[in-house]
Amino acid sequence: MLIGELSRRTGVSTRLLRYYEAQGLLEVERGSNGYREYAEDAVVTVRKVRALLDAGLTTEVIRVVLPCTRGEQPGFDWCADLRALLDRELAVMDERIDDLRRSRGALAGYLEQP
């Protein structure tokens, strides 16, 4: 399928699809005319990428995680070191949340001053 059809079927812009390709998240072939041609399973791949981005993972992490996914939600086949990688990502996310809570508390404190 061409990039426009993949965009329509996934709701992801063609610009983002090209970005996913550049990041190594989406495989594409080139036709003799130079157009991008995607396999049918690209729809599921894009949905997985979107779900993993929504979970707060970076494209770098997704590139490692993607081969260990199954289904659109996605579920995981626990490849070597995958659980440790996701545990590290969760710890980083928890740290960011703690930092934001501290910043929020400081800002709220400023707003409480007369």
Side-chain angles (χ1 to χ4, degrees):
M1 84 185 82
L2 298 178
I3 195 167
E5 182 180 349
L6 182 58
S7 176
R8 281 188 297 281
R9 291 179 61 185
T10 60
V12 174
S13 71
T14 57
R15 182 172 173 256
L16 268 178
L17 294 173
R18 287 189 294 273
Y19 174 75
Y20 295 165
E21 176 189 347
Q23 295 298 304
L25 304 177
L26 188 58
E27 293 180 17
V28 64
E29 299 290 326
R30 292 281 183 166
S32 59
N33 57 5
Y35 289 177
R36 289 173 170 84
E37 294 182 1
Y38 297 92
E40 187 64 31
D41 65 349
V43 172
V44 173
T45 300
V46 170
R47 289 180 180 153
K48 287 179 191 180
V49 168
R50 296 301 309 157
L52 293 167
L53 285 168
D54 288 346
L57 297 179
T58 65
T59 56
E60 289 177 1
V61 172
I62 293 171
R63 190 177 320 110
V64 175
V65 169
L66 201 56
C68 300
T69 61
R70 57 177 155 59
E72 290 184 32
Q73 288 308 310
F76 294 99
D77 293 324
W78 293 105
C79 304
D81 301 324
L82 179 60
R83 189 173 295 273
L85 173 65
L86 293 179
D87 280 340
R88 284 192 303 274
E89 288 299 311
L90 185 58
V92 167
M93 199 176 289
D94 286 341
E95 190 174 307
R96 286 195 323 244
I97 289 169
D98 290 344
D99 289 345
L100 283 170
R101 283 190 177 128
R102 279 191 292 278
S103 297
R104 186 193 185 286
L107 183 56
Y110 296 145
L111 290 171
E112 290 174 358
Q113 295 176 5

